[in-house]
Amino acid sequence: MPVQTRSKPVKTATAQYHGLSEKQLVQMYRTMVLSRRLDDREIQLRKQNKIFFQISGAGHEAVLVAAGQVLKPAYDWFCAYYRDRALCLSLGMTPYEMLLSGVGAKDDPNSGGRQMPSHWGHPKLNIVTRSSPTGTQFLHGVGIAEAGLYYDNHAKALKAAENAPLGKYVTHEPDEIVYISGGDGATSEGEFFESLNTACQKKLPVIYLIEDNGYAISVPVSVQTAGGSISKLVSGYPGLLIQECDGTDVFESYATFQRAAEYCRARKGPALIHAHVTRPYSHSHSDDEKLYKSAEERAEENRKDPIPRFAKFLLEEGILNAKEIEKLSAEIDIEVREAGDKALAAEMPAVDSITKWIYSPDVDGASKSFDVAPVFKGEPKTMVEMVSATLSSEMARDERIVVFGEDVADVSREDNIEKVKGKGGVFKATWGLQRTYGADRVFNSPLAEANIVGRAIGMAIRGLKPVVEIQFFDYIWPAMMQLRNELALVRWRSAGGFACPAVIRVPIGGYLTGGAIYHSQCGETIFTHTPGLRVVMPSTALDLAGLLRTSIRCDDPVMFLEHKHLYRQPYNRSEDPGPDYTIPLGKARVMREGSDATIVTYGALVHRAEVAAAQLDREGVSVEVLDLRSLSPYDWEAIAKSVTKTNRVIVAYEDTLSWGYGAEIAARIADELFGDLDAPVRRVAAMDTFCAYQPKLEDEILPQTEDIVAAVHDLLAY
């Protein structure tokens, strides 16, 4: 059961400094004051319009310098949130580096001027790049901790990670801790509870620091949290060490962190520190707390300020006298002023850096190096069989690969693995992998899509190669924040300091006969609209093998869409192309040559287009069918070559007609190839409605072969 404690107030005898020397105490005080002065300097610069955003860590300094004394930079891992300035200073980030972030300078180690100030990230210190969405970091920290435990038992994986791009930042220590912080408001997010569930279930060495200043912007904790106490709310989590402390008291905070760190380093499980802090400043420069806090409440915030409180202690103990405190304060003012002046004079990012680090500069999945011919062997496999075969060959090659998701393992209870056939996913795409590679490499997740993707992000940041499955595309939306604002942006927002080369496998599409609304959705355009994310959708078993292998071996995050209708079709089977077969991303395949019209398509529409082309051929009409295979990037050169040959084009896709993926292809053809067209660009797609359960309705809603034939006839008659 959880253990909940609270530190007793410290006595003012030297022996009761919890082992901290007077020199350490002075340094901690100095860091607290430095943190506050940096906040004040940024506020001043914001008023002068020399920086563009400010959010402070005021009132949180005591618990953060305590954490900095217990935890180790470039040893432990840190998912810090925007109030954690004092912690980052304690770990070794400099005032100059922080102010580089404020002005958005080229050499800002947090983001190279791409992210707001106080969104900390420092690869050399293991401070993981931070985004603005609330609470997403909790799952990343869990994945980071899982990767650390994985490296304990997989030395080859660690070596491979060290030799991969950004491997110089891969560190691993047997007793490392992952620190994850957030405010009281962040504990309202589902990802917080999803992360706690996994951290406790796996006994991960994670310290959660909840910095409770009583408010999430203007909303008090009494409105945010049932009962007003997050530590009481999570008291039922098994194995979770829960500690509550006065986060404005340096000694109480330090003792609390010592106990939590000892618990985690001993691998007893996770710890949660509920630190009560104060917020004497408004939420950010754009907030005015006078609008919702009374004068009496604001006065109380100031009375709890940890800096004058600690200064009083140092004076009473004779550790510093008034003149020494004044001198220290003056030195800090000079340091901050000089750092600010230097930052204001720093070089800004070049305009041509805008597109840098959207994708990997080290391993380009679209390069010709991935154009490797197949070496066929064995009996023909369906698409779903090829998923398992390809994953198996890649897992044998690279120990960094882990596979997880809902139902993907053969069996969760390992004692049963020799007694049962095994599940291996609802489509059996991962069947047999756990039996071959073990439960630490192939395992089931909770039924929580954000949990799956968020943990994969943390693992990939640590150098693993997670290949995870979202069971149905229709249920991907709980992971949307993790996909759109995290997975795809990690490299760009950190200016190349971190990367996230995870593969997200997603069964997609209709034509299922009874799939209905929530098992037949498309929507790929939402993800092709996301820079930084590769999107792939093969239509044959051979293409699946080559593209999945490329997706795993490239250095970018990939959404790998597998059409459910195509999983077991006999017409798209292939022999195994061998363990080296890869296909460059963004390279289309001409499925059928033609001269009168072009059909640009992908997924389940490829076969329907081929059937339509064969029917039209019997009428004397020659139609070229182009399978894009990769949707982002896509093969514009192949499209242009075909359109300039046939002068007529149809874009066929399964998603709804309006706002669909084909609209971009059609618009670009009209924009850049207008002079080569003998007829308007046509789209064939689903109706602007939902997919019905009744098969006759489904047939009417989704595009069929006869719709493609009719569209070609219309084009030829134009």
Side-chain angles (χ1 to χ4, degrees):
M1 290 298 293
V3 181
Q4 188 162 1
T5 63
R6 183 162 184 152
S7 299
K8 294 180 180 179
V10 66
K11 297 179 181 179
T12 59
T14 303
Q16 299 297 323
Y17 296 160
H18 295 282
L20 291 167
S21 67
E22 293 187 0
K23 182 178 179 181
Q24 286 176 296
L25 295 178
V26 173
Q27 182 58 45
M28 292 168 75
Y29 176 72
R30 190 185 194 284
T31 301
M32 291 169 66
V33 176
L34 178 59
S35 178
R36 185 69 62 88
R37 291 288 195 275
L38 284 166
D39 277 331
D40 293 339
R41 178 61 170 150
E42 284 186 348
I43 291 169
Q44 181 186 47
L45 292 172
R46 175 66 188 88
K47 290 177 179 178
Q48 296 170 348
N49 290 321
K50 292 180 179 178
I51 68 171
F52 320 104
F53 178 80
Q54 207 286 324
I55 191 164
S56 82
H60 293 229
E61 296 95 345
V63 72
L64 293 171
V65 296
Q69 288 294 316
V70 175
L71 302 176
K72 307 173 187 179
Y75 187 103
D76 296 318
W77 285 78
F78 303 88
C79 295
Y81 98 120
Y82 48 76
R83 304 259 187 235
D84 282 10
R85 185 189 298 278
L87 171 68
C88 293
L89 288 168
S90 298
L91 296 175
M93 194 177 291
T94 68
Y96 175 58
E97 288 175 325
M98 290 185 171
L99 291 168
L100 284 176
S101 178
V103 301
K106 170 180 170 288
D107 293 328
D108 158 34
N110 300 278
S111 74
R114 294 157 181 252
Q115 176 61 300
M116 289 175 167
S118 299
H119 289 63
W120 312 113
H122 204 299
K124 293 180 181 178
L125 301 174
N126 291 354
I127 303 173
V128 177
T129 175
R130 183 72 183 94
S131 68
S132 296
T134 304
T136 52
Q137 72 273 22
F138 293 118
L139 285 168
H140 303 167
V142 165
I144 288 167
E146 288 183 272
L149 295 185
Y150 185 83
Y151 286 141
D152 285 344
N153 301 308
H154 293 275
K156 289 181 180 178
L158 178 59
K159 190 68 175 178
E162 290 171 343
N163 292 328
L166 298 179
K168 62 184 177 181
Y169 298 130
V170 172
T171 66
H172 172 253
E173 302 294 341
D175 66 341
E176 67 189 20
I177 293 172
V178 179
Y179 161 99
I180 319 172
S181 63
D184 47 285
T187 65
S188 297
E189 295 284 1
E191 278 103 326
F192 169 72
F193 293 97
E194 290 182 21
S195 74
L196 268 181
N197 184 41
T198 296
C200 292
Q201 194 268 333
K202 291 181 172 286
K203 295 185 177 179
L204 298 177
V206 173
I207 292 179
Y208 292 82
L209 173 61
I210 305 305
E211 300 168 41
D212 185 351
N213 61 31
Y215 276 90
I217 308 184
S218 68
V219 182
V221 68
S222 59
V223 175
Q224 289 280 350
T225 305
S229 171
I230 190 59
S231 51
K232 291 180 181 177
L233 196 63
V234 301
S235 61
Y237 280 84
L240 178 66
L241 175 66
I242 301 173
Q243 297 188 301
E244 194 169 2
C245 71
D246 179 354
T248 66
D249 184 316
V250 167
F251 297 105
E252 188 174 328
S253 298
Y254 179 73
T256 300
F257 257 97
Q258 280 187 311
R259 286 194 298 274
E262 181 182 355
Y263 187 82
C264 290
R265 294 202 197 280
R267 297 300 183 255
K268 294 180 180 179
L272 183 142
I273 297 174
H274 182 190
H276 294 275
V277 294
T278 189
R279 198 190 80 189
Y281 293 5
S282 294
H283 168 75
S284 71
H285 77 271
S286 58
D287 174 51
D288 183 358
E289 65 176 14
K290 294 177 183 177
L291 299 175
Y292 51 87
K293 284 185 179 179
S294 67
E296 293 77 13
E297 191 172 3
R298 287 186 288 111
E300 179 60 24
E301 296 274 14
N302 287 324
R303 280 193 291 272
K304 293 188 293 185
D305 193 319
I307 292 179
R309 179 178 180 180
F310 195 31
K312 181 182 178 183
F313 170 85
L314 295 173
L315 286 167
E316 290 175 347
E317 289 293 297
I319 296 171
L320 290 175
N321 59 40
K323 287 186 177 180
E324 288 171 327
I325 286 180
E326 186 177 340
K327 180 183 177 183
L328 184 148
S329 181
E331 291 172 351
I332 290 172
D333 286 341
I334 293 170
E335 181 182 1
V336 170
R337 184 171 63 250
E338 290 178 347
D341 292 344
K342 187 179 177 183
L344 289 169
E347 182 182 357
M348 294 299 111
V351 173
D352 61 7
S353 72
I354 293 169
T355 56
K356 195 175 182 181
W357 297 303
I358 298 175
Y359 301 104
S360 173
D362 302 303
V363 183
D364 182 5
S367 70
K368 291 183 179 180
S369 65
F370 284 100
D371 195 355
V372 179
V375 178
F376 292 108
K377 62 178 181 180
E379 296 296 318
K381 296 181 184 295
T382 62
M383 274 184 67
V384 74
E385 291 170 332
M386 199 65 83
V387 173
S388 180
T390 305
L391 285 175
S392 184
S393 70
E394 286 300 286
M395 292 181 76
R397 181 190 66 88
D398 189 348
E399 202 172 75
R400 294 178 300 157
I401 297 172
V402 293
V403 174
F404 66 97
E406 172 67 10
D407 280 314
V408 303
D410 289 314
V411 59
S412 288
R413 293 191 171 97
E414 290 184 75
D415 292 345
N416 291 337
I417 198 162
E418 299 302 328
K419 303 175 185 177
V420 296
K421 186 176 180 179
K423 179 76 174 177
V426 294
F427 299 102
K428 293 198 174 298
T430 53
W431 182 78
L433 294 179
Q434 179 193 2
R435 197 180 300 269
T436 302
Y437 296 103
D440 62 340
R441 296 190 67 189
V442 184
F443 51 90
N444 287 330
S445 72
L447 180 55
E449 289 76 14
N451 177 285
I452 295 168
V453 176
R455 289 163 63 193
I457 290 169
M459 292 179 190
I461 285 172
R462 281 297 298 272
L464 293 184
K465 278 279 187 173
V467 181
V468 302
E469 179 183 299
I470 300 296
Q471 198 165 87
F472 289 90
F473 183 88
D474 314 68
Y475 306 135
I476 203 168
W477 313 116
M480 191 66 187
M481 184 73 82
Q482 294 288 347
L483 290 164
R484 176 60 179 82
N485 284 330
E486 302 295 343
L487 180 77
L489 272 79
V490 163
R491 187 190 303 275
W492 192 84
R493 75 166 186 245
S494 66
F498 294 92
C500 196
V503 177
I504 315 296
R505 292 182 44 253
V506 192
I508 190 173
Y511 301 105
L512 299 179
T513 309
I517 306 166
Y518 299 111
H519 292 81
S520 304
Q521 291 180 37
C522 287
E524 59 274 7
T525 185
I526 294 171
F527 297 102
T528 58
H529 186 68
T530 303
L533 181 64
R534 306 293 197 182
V535 182
V536 179
M537 193 171 182
S539 65
T540 69
L542 180 62
D543 287 347
L544 183 142
L547 289 166
L548 181 55
R549 190 170 282 110
T550 299
S551 298
I552 293 170
R553 295 186 185 185
C554 83
D555 196 37
D556 289 312
V558 180
M559 179 169 286
F560 198 86
L561 303 174
E562 301 164 7
H563 203 291
K564 302 187 293 290
H565 175 74
L566 301 179
Y567 265 155
R568 292 181 171 83
Q569 297 297 337
Y571 56 75
N572 62 4
R573 294 185 301 166
S574 171
E575 298 171 85
D576 193 312
D580 299 317
Y581 179 56
T582 52
I583 301 170
L585 303 182
K587 187 174 178 61
R589 180 181 180 186
V590 178
M591 304 295 288
R592 183 186 181 100
E593 297 276 357
S595 57
D596 294 328
T598 296
I599 300 173
V600 178
T601 189
Y602 57 93
L605 266 293
V606 172
H607 180 65
R608 282 164 172 73
E610 289 183 292
V611 172
Q615 179 179 326
L616 289 161
D617 185 64
R618 293 191 289 271
E619 301 174 13
V621 178
S622 176
V623 175
E624 184 152 297
V625 178
L626 186 68
D627 181 3
L628 289 177
R629 306 192 293 189
S630 175
L631 307 184
S632 180
Y634 66 88
D635 194 342
W636 172 247
E637 291 183 3
I639 295 170
K641 181 180 179 181
S642 184
V643 171
T644 54
K645 178 173 71 170
T646 67
N647 309 116
R648 291 176 172 83
V649 61
I650 291 168
V651 185
Y653 52 102
E654 186 181 337
D655 204 1
T656 52
L657 179 70
S658 299
W659 325 112
Y661 180 82
E664 163 61 22
I665 306 297
R668 188 170 180 186
I669 291 170
D671 184 25
E672 299 184 28
L673 303 175
F674 184 78
D676 296 294
L677 294 174
D678 290 339
V681 182
R682 286 290 305 274
R683 290 169 294 152
V684 174
M687 295 174 63
D688 290 345
T689 186
F690 310 102
C691 191
Y693 168 75
Q694 219 295 323
K696 290 183 179 179
L697 296 179
E698 181 189 55
D699 288 347
E700 188 68 23
I701 292 163
L702 298 180
Q704 306 295 337
T705 298
E706 52 267 30
D707 298 320
I708 298 172
V709 171
V712 172
H713 284 151
D714 288 347
L715 276 187
L716 294 175
Y718 181 80

